[in-house]
Amino acid sequence: AQTVTQSQPEMSVQEAETVTLSCTYDTSESDYYLFWYKQPPSRQMILVIRQEAYKQQNATENRFSVNFQKAAKSFSLKISDSQLGDAAMYFCAYRRSGSARQLTFGSGTQLTVLP
Amino acid sequence: ETGVTQTPRHLVMGMTNKKSLKCEQHLGHNAMYWYKQSAKKPLELMFVYSLEERVENNSVPSRFSPECPNSSHLFLHLHTLQPEDSALYLCASSQVSAGYSPLHFGNGTRLTVT
């Protein structure tokens, strides 16, 4: 079974600084997708960034980028120039290719942005 | 407009009550999901309706009963709940196809069982 581990329950970062959130996963599959979701106080889970396992290039979305290390099964999220609006719970998630249902989430990292 | 709308936003119910959670998606997706989010735990997949097929997590108690009358609507019927069922219940939808499709979530229903 796939598992996703986020070892940092809480993180904080100064506004305008950079922070990295960690995520590791365990799978025997070779084709899969990885996601980072953000859950602000509004409770809606919002997709931040996604990575296809077959792509070696790390995904980037504006201030958000990932460091995808397939051999190490590591998928960290880097937030550059942190903003107050980035404060939220961040979830790492894994999904096997071709599966409608097997989206496995980590337990989340609560990010606080300090003014 | 989130694309996925959940009602009610908050629900308090006694253990003997019967209530239903409602989810509606306006994105034209063909799969819908119920997730349970408890404090300090990973999201737990409860049910999936995909291409008119129902898939369920075998660990979900029978006091939770899903209904998916069409591809845009999803319900979660609740009866004889326990206090440990208090949690945030999230609905999501996606487009099942050959490629990947991220989930789009609603704002959730905060359920408190007294």
Side-chain angles (χ1 to χ4, degrees):
Chain A
Q2 295 83 18
T3 59
V4 177
T5 302
Q6 293 180 249
S7 59
Q8 307 153 315
E10 299 176 349
M11 292 280 285
S12 63
V13 61
Q14 206 73 34
E15 193 175 5
E17 297 295 310
T18 296
V19 65
T20 298
L21 308 183
S22 301
C23 173
T24 58
Y25 58 95
D26 186 23
T27 183
S28 58
E29 303 287 336
S30 60
D31 193 13
Y32 51 87
Y33 305 101
L34 296 165
F35 306 87
W36 278 98
Y37 279 88
K38 165 185 176 182
Q39 188 179 39
S42 68
R43 303 182 328 204
Q44 186 190 13
M45 298 277 280
I46 301 166
L47 178 65
V48 174
I49 197 165
R50 56 189 177 234
Q51 175 81 43
E52 294 93 327
Y54 64 86
K55 290 187 177 179
Q56 292 185 338
Q57 186 173 6
N58 290 324
T60 299
E61 289 286 342
N62 301 314
R63 299 182 295 107
F64 298 87
S65 61
V66 299
N67 183 4
F68 173 48
Q69 301 290 329
K70 191 172 184 179
K73 296 180 182 176
S74 171
F75 183 61
S76 61
L77 174 70
K78 185 172 82 171
I79 306 174
S80 304
D81 186 26
S82 296
Q83 300 176 359
L84 295 177
D86 295 332
M89 181 74 86
Y90 286 80
F91 293 93
C92 179
Y94 164 99
R95 176 182 166 184
R96 191 181 68 187
S97 178
S99 170
R101 60 185 179 274
Q102 291 193 1
L103 187 62
T104 304
F105 285 86
S107 56
T109 297
Q110 180 68 51
L111 178 66
T112 300
V113 180
L114 304 170
Chain B
E1 175 60 56
T2 65
V4 180
T5 304
Q6 289 186 244
T7 55
R9 189 161 173 80
H10 301 273
L11 178 62
V12 179
M13 59 185 289
M15 291 191 288
T16 59
N17 291 157
K18 290 184 180 181
K19 297 285 184 182
S20 297
L21 309 185
K22 179 182 176 181
C23 177
E24 183 175 0
Q25 61 98 358
H26 312 276
L27 301 169
H29 289 162
N30 59 10
M32 296 186 75
Y33 311 74
W34 280 116
Y35 279 87
K36 177 183 179 181
Q37 185 178 17
S38 303
K40 302 188 186 304
K41 290 184 179 180
L43 270 72
E44 176 188 355
L45 178 64
M46 301 178 72
F47 301 102
V48 181
Y49 278 84
S50 173
L51 299 175
E52 301 178 356
E53 174 190 8
R54 170 178 157 178
V55 177
E56 62 185 88
N57 181 341
N58 291 330
S59 67
V60 176
S62 60
R63 55 186 182 267
F64 294 91
S65 175
E67 178 189 0
C68 189
N70 53 61
S71 60
S72 299
H73 294 85
L74 183 66
F75 297 90
L76 187 63
H77 303 301
L78 318 170
H79 64 95
T80 325
L81 293 192
Q82 302 299 309
E84 61 264 29
D85 297 323
S86 299
L88 180 67
Y89 289 84
L90 291 166
C91 174
S93 70
S94 72
Q95 183 65 24
V96 176
S97 61
Y100 74 87
S101 171
L103 269 62
H104 295 257
F105 286 85
N107 287 342
T109 294
R110 173 71 64 189
L111 174 66
T112 303
V113 181
T114 61

